[in-house]
Amino acid sequence: MNANDPRELLIEVLSGIAPETDPATVDPTEDLRDELDLDSMDELNMITRVSGRLGIDIPEKDYPLMRTLDGAVDYLTGRMAAPAP
Amino acid sequence: MTPAVDVSSGTVWRTCPIRSSPSAGARSWLTQRDLLRGEGISHPEARTRFLVARALLRRTIAEARPDLGWKVLDIRTARSGRPTVVDIDPLLDPFLAPNLDPELEDHLGLYLAVSHTRGLAAVAVSTVGPVGIDVEPLGRDGLPPAEIWLTPDEQEEHASLLPSRRRAQLLRLWVAKEAALKANDAAQALPRRELSIRRSGEVDRVPISEDDPEAWVIAEVVWHEIEARFLVALAASVTGR
């Protein structure tokens, strides 16, 4: 896995949170909660693990930006390129 | 289905077991729009949970406001994330129907909250003010790290508990915070670690610095165990009324 690729990281993390699913096959524009049957606890676990792996702080106000796979990739890509002060 | 319980005047909440598919009784409460939305949910268990919760919500709305025709109400998600009821019958409201506004928070004076988990759906309907509800299995594992979502005081108390009591206490705090977040716009803007849950059920906003010393009660929470398998928290907004 490319540790700097947010999509690969998200899929790996989601595979651990929802092991009965295949996150690589979800519609990347649809809500992950519906696609993978995640709830708010799963969502926070996903964000906590991704945040820890990438070493970036993700404020709770930004969580809604990570509700889809594409949205999460875009958000993380932006944060990795220009970390918050 | 559990009997309706009034936690305060004007608020009704119910729970319903979720099995492999919605029962015929549940389906009788669903509209064509509900079924179409369900078809858009790809995960089969998530779809079933949505449909059972939606049927329970419609039934509870009908109970809370029998004067409204539940079949002509659409339920949408407002920007806040709250479910919101919208009148879609042009015969009843010809001016509203062409301009449906999903941002309306309290259309028809109804405040709704929904939660579902594997095995149980829970809904709350209030005619008084914003409400929130959350349900989790009592045996649920995998709670996020405490430092992410507990206040410093809660973390200290958590660390002082016997290990055998920690999971139950964490789950109690989790459902309370989730319900409070759903019940209150002010809470929705706050990180979970700035919401303090008192033993009494009051939910405080924690001051984050000396420059910001104010704390205030934003919601009240009550907890219920369902069939010794699930923990439900029901929150009523204090500031939103």
Side-chain angles (χ1 to χ4, degrees), chain B residues 198-215:
Chain B
R198 296 186 197 172
R199 288 182 186 278
S200 62
E202 289 181 320
V203 185
D204 288 319
R205 182 259 188 183
V206 176
I208 53 176
S209 73
E210 290 183 2
D211 299 331
D212 177 29
E214 272 192 272

PDB file of all heavy atoms in Angstrom, chain B residues 198-215:
ATOM      1  N   ARG B 198     -23.640  15.122  32.848  1.00  0.00           N
ATOM      2  CA  ARG B 198     -23.729  14.963  34.306  1.00  0.00           C
ATOM      3  C   ARG B 198     -24.475  13.674  34.627  1.00  0.00           C
ATOM      4  O   ARG B 198     -25.264  13.181  33.830  1.00  0.00           O
ATOM      5  CB  ARG B 198     -24.502  16.133  34.921  1.00  0.00           C
ATOM      6  CG  ARG B 198     -23.851  17.476  34.755  1.00  0.00           C
ATOM      7  CD  ARG B 198     -24.656  18.490  35.548  1.00  0.00           C
ATOM      8  NE  ARG B 198     -24.359  19.855  35.151  1.00  0.00           N
ATOM      9  CZ  ARG B 198     -25.047  20.901  35.592  1.00  0.00           C
ATOM     10  NH1 ARG B 198     -26.059  20.727  36.420  1.00  0.00           N
ATOM     11  NH2 ARG B 198     -24.728  22.117  35.198  1.00  0.00           N
ATOM     12  N   ARG B 199     -24.259  13.195  35.845  1.00  0.00           N
ATOM     13  CA  ARG B 199     -24.980  11.998  36.262  1.00  0.00           C
ATOM     14  C   ARG B 199     -26.488  12.227  36.246  1.00  0.00           C
ATOM     15  O   ARG B 199     -27.268  11.318  36.028  1.00  0.00           O
ATOM     16  CB  ARG B 199     -24.555  11.594  37.682  1.00  0.00           C
ATOM     17  CG  ARG B 199     -23.165  11.017  37.743  1.00  0.00           C
ATOM     18  CD  ARG B 199     -22.825  10.582  39.172  1.00  0.00           C
ATOM     19  NE  ARG B 199     -21.438  10.170  39.258  1.00  0.00           N
ATOM     20  CZ  ARG B 199     -21.002   8.966  38.911  1.00  0.00           C
ATOM     21  NH1 ARG B 199     -21.861   8.079  38.463  1.00  0.00           N
ATOM     22  NH2 ARG B 199     -19.729   8.657  39.011  1.00  0.00           N
ATOM     23  N   SER B 200     -26.891  13.458  36.511  1.00  0.00           N
ATOM     24  CA  SER B 200     -28.312  13.790  36.531  1.00  0.00           C
ATOM     25  C   SER B 200     -28.930  13.759  35.141  1.00  0.00           C
ATOM     26  O   SER B 200     -30.146  13.764  35.002  1.00  0.00           O
ATOM     27  CB  SER B 200     -28.498  15.194  37.111  1.00  0.00           C
ATOM     28  OG  SER B 200     -27.845  16.144  36.270  1.00  0.00           O
ATOM     29  N   GLY B 201     -28.081  13.733  34.110  1.00  0.00           N
ATOM     30  CA  GLY B 201     -28.595  13.736  32.746  1.00  0.00           C
ATOM     31  C   GLY B 201     -28.510  15.092  32.082  1.00  0.00           C
ATOM     32  O   GLY B 201     -28.787  15.220  30.894  1.00  0.00           O
ATOM     33  N   GLU B 202     -28.102  16.122  32.832  1.00  0.00           N
ATOM     34  CA  GLU B 202     -27.928  17.422  32.191  1.00  0.00           C
ATOM     35  C   GLU B 202     -26.670  17.411  31.339  1.00  0.00           C
ATOM     36  O   GLU B 202     -25.659  16.790  31.699  1.00  0.00           O
ATOM     37  CB  GLU B 202     -27.842  18.531  33.241  1.00  0.00           C
ATOM     38  CG  GLU B 202     -29.179  18.800  33.923  1.00  0.00           C
ATOM     39  CD  GLU B 202     -29.068  19.925  34.942  1.00  0.00           C
ATOM     40  OE1 GLU B 202     -28.039  19.966  35.645  1.00  0.00           O
ATOM     41  OE2 GLU B 202     -29.999  20.730  35.026  1.00  0.00           O
ATOM     42  N   VAL B 203     -26.757  18.090  30.217  1.00  0.00           N
ATOM     43  CA  VAL B 203     -25.628  18.146  29.294  1.00  0.00           C
ATOM     44  C   VAL B 203     -25.110  19.575  29.262  1.00  0.00           C
ATOM     45  O   VAL B 203     -25.838  20.506  28.904  1.00  0.00           O
ATOM     46  CB  VAL B 203     -26.039  17.715  27.861  1.00  0.00           C
ATOM     47  CG1 VAL B 203     -24.812  17.675  26.948  1.00  0.00           C
ATOM     48  CG2 VAL B 203     -26.726  16.356  27.894  1.00  0.00           C
ATOM     49  N   ASP B 204     -23.852  19.741  29.673  1.00  0.00           N
ATOM     50  CA  ASP B 204     -23.239  21.069  29.712  1.00  0.00           C
ATOM     51  C   ASP B 204     -22.298  21.261  28.540  1.00  0.00           C
ATOM     52  O   ASP B 204     -21.675  20.313  28.070  1.00  0.00           O
ATOM     53  CB  ASP B 204     -22.392  21.235  30.976  1.00  0.00           C
ATOM     54  CG  ASP B 204     -23.239  21.356  32.214  1.00  0.00           C
ATOM     55  OD1 ASP B 204     -24.262  22.036  32.156  1.00  0.00           O
ATOM     56  OD2 ASP B 204     -22.867  20.746  33.215  1.00  0.00           O
ATOM     57  N   ARG B 205     -22.185  22.488  28.149  1.00  0.00           N
ATOM     58  CA  ARG B 205     -21.099  22.844  27.239  1.00  0.00           C
ATOM     59  C   ARG B 205     -19.924  23.251  28.120  1.00  0.00           C
ATOM     60  O   ARG B 205     -20.047  24.068  29.027  1.00  0.00           O
ATOM     61  CB  ARG B 205     -21.543  23.995  26.328  1.00  0.00           C
ATOM     62  CG  ARG B 205     -20.503  24.406  25.316  1.00  0.00           C
ATOM     63  CD  ARG B 205     -19.810  25.643  25.783  1.00  0.00           C
ATOM     64  NE  ARG B 205     -18.942  26.159  24.712  1.00  0.00           N
ATOM     65  CZ  ARG B 205     -18.163  27.202  24.867  1.00  0.00           C
ATOM     66  NH1 ARG B 205     -18.133  27.844  26.015  1.00  0.00           N
ATOM     67  NH2 ARG B 205     -17.417  27.621  23.881  1.00  0.00           N
ATOM     68  N   VAL B 206     -18.750  22.661  27.876  1.00  0.00           N
ATOM     69  CA  VAL B 206     -17.582  22.893  28.726  1.00  0.00           C
ATOM     70  C   VAL B 206     -16.818  24.103  28.213  1.00  0.00           C
ATOM     71  O   VAL B 206     -16.543  24.199  27.018  1.00  0.00           O
ATOM     72  CB  VAL B 206     -16.659  21.659  28.696  1.00  0.00           C
ATOM     73  CG1 VAL B 206     -15.400  21.902  29.495  1.00  0.00           C
ATOM     74  CG2 VAL B 206     -17.406  20.448  29.229  1.00  0.00           C
ATOM     75  N   PRO B 207     -16.441  25.039  29.111  1.00  0.00           N
ATOM     76  CA  PRO B 207     -15.608  26.151  28.652  1.00  0.00           C
ATOM     77  C   PRO B 207     -14.272  25.642  28.138  1.00  0.00           C
ATOM     78  O   PRO B 207     -13.704  24.697  28.700  1.00  0.00           O
ATOM     79  CB  PRO B 207     -15.416  27.008  29.894  1.00  0.00           C
ATOM     80  CG  PRO B 207     -16.046  26.299  31.010  1.00  0.00           C
ATOM     81  CD  PRO B 207     -16.757  25.090  30.519  1.00  0.00           C
ATOM     82  N   ILE B 208     -13.804  26.207  27.053  1.00  0.00           N
ATOM     83  CA  ILE B 208     -12.583  25.681  26.442  1.00  0.00           C
ATOM     84  C   ILE B 208     -11.347  26.506  26.796  1.00  0.00           C
ATOM     85  O   ILE B 208     -10.240  26.088  26.514  1.00  0.00           O
ATOM     86  CB  ILE B 208     -12.726  25.600  24.911  1.00  0.00           C
ATOM     87  CG1 ILE B 208     -13.151  26.942  24.341  1.00  0.00           C
ATOM     88  CG2 ILE B 208     -13.696  24.512  24.537  1.00  0.00           C
ATOM     89  CD1 ILE B 208     -13.210  26.964  22.831  1.00  0.00           C
ATOM     90  N   SER B 209     -11.529  27.681  27.379  1.00  0.00           N
ATOM     91  CA  SER B 209     -10.369  28.478  27.769  1.00  0.00           C
ATOM     92  C   SER B 209     -10.798  29.498  28.816  1.00  0.00           C
ATOM     93  O   SER B 209     -11.985  29.681  29.081  1.00  0.00           O
ATOM     94  CB  SER B 209      -9.787  29.213  26.551  1.00  0.00           C
ATOM     95  OG  SER B 209     -10.654  30.273  26.177  1.00  0.00           O
ATOM     96  N   GLU B 210      -9.796  30.172  29.406  1.00  0.00           N
ATOM     97  CA  GLU B 210     -10.110  31.203  30.400  1.00  0.00           C
ATOM     98  C   GLU B 210     -10.819  32.378  29.757  1.00  0.00           C
ATOM     99  O   GLU B 210     -11.558  33.119  30.408  1.00  0.00           O
ATOM    100  CB  GLU B 210      -8.827  31.668  31.081  1.00  0.00           C
ATOM    101  CG  GLU B 210      -8.233  30.615  31.998  1.00  0.00           C
ATOM    102  CD  GLU B 210      -7.005  31.130  32.711  1.00  0.00           C
ATOM    103  OE1 GLU B 210      -6.662  32.310  32.506  1.00  0.00           O
ATOM    104  OE2 GLU B 210      -6.402  30.354  33.465  1.00  0.00           O
ATOM    105  N   ASP B 211     -10.571  32.568  28.462  1.00  0.00           N
ATOM    106  CA  ASP B 211     -11.247  33.657  27.758  1.00  0.00           C
ATOM    107  C   ASP B 211     -12.706  33.316  27.453  1.00  0.00           C
ATOM    108  O   ASP B 211     -13.463  34.168  27.012  1.00  0.00           O
ATOM    109  CB  ASP B 211     -10.527  33.960  26.437  1.00  0.00           C
ATOM    110  CG  ASP B 211      -9.095  34.406  26.679  1.00  0.00           C
ATOM    111  OD1 ASP B 211      -8.855  34.990  27.753  1.00  0.00           O
ATOM    112  OD2 ASP B 211      -8.251  34.157  25.806  1.00  0.00           O
ATOM    113  N   ASP B 212     -13.037  32.093  27.661  1.00  0.00           N
ATOM    114  CA  ASP B 212     -14.366  31.628  27.294  1.00  0.00           C
ATOM    115  C   ASP B 212     -14.929  30.829  28.471  1.00  0.00           C
ATOM    116  O   ASP B 212     -15.026  29.612  28.418  1.00  0.00           O
ATOM    117  CB  ASP B 212     -14.262  30.748  26.035  1.00  0.00           C
ATOM    118  CG  ASP B 212     -15.602  30.165  25.647  1.00  0.00           C
ATOM    119  OD1 ASP B 212     -16.622  30.808  25.930  1.00  0.00           O
ATOM    120  OD2 ASP B 212     -15.614  29.053  25.082  1.00  0.00           O
ATOM    121  N   PRO B 213     -15.220  31.537  29.571  1.00  0.00           N
ATOM    122  CA  PRO B 213     -15.531  30.816  30.803  1.00  0.00           C
ATOM    123  C   PRO B 213     -16.949  30.257  30.880  1.00  0.00           C
ATOM    124  O   PRO B 213     -17.266  29.528  31.798  1.00  0.00           O
ATOM    125  CB  PRO B 213     -15.339  31.899  31.871  1.00  0.00           C
ATOM    126  CG  PRO B 213     -15.689  33.169  31.171  1.00  0.00           C
ATOM    127  CD  PRO B 213     -15.283  32.982  29.729  1.00  0.00           C
ATOM    128  N   GLU B 214     -17.785  30.594  29.933  1.00  0.00           N
ATOM    129  CA  GLU B 214     -19.188  30.238  30.080  1.00  0.00           C
ATOM    130  C   GLU B 214     -19.459  28.773  29.772  1.00  0.00           C
ATOM    131  O   GLU B 214     -19.040  28.252  28.756  1.00  0.00           O
ATOM    132  CB  GLU B 214     -20.056  31.078  29.148  1.00  0.00           C
ATOM    133  CG  GLU B 214     -20.495  32.389  29.737  1.00  0.00           C
ATOM    134  CD  GLU B 214     -21.570  33.029  28.894  1.00  0.00           C
ATOM    135  OE1 GLU B 214     -21.221  33.765  27.970  1.00  0.00           O
ATOM    136  OE2 GLU B 214     -22.743  32.758  29.168  1.00  0.00           O
ATOM    137  N   ALA B 215     -20.203  28.162  30.655  1.00  0.00           N
ATOM    138  CA  ALA B 215     -20.762  26.847  30.382  1.00  0.00           C
ATOM    139  C   ALA B 215     -22.268  26.972  30.549  1.00  0.00           C
ATOM    140  O   ALA B 215     -22.745  27.780  31.333  1.00  0.00           O
ATOM    141  CB  ALA B 215     -20.211  25.819  31.346  1.00  0.00           C
TER     142      ALA B 215
END
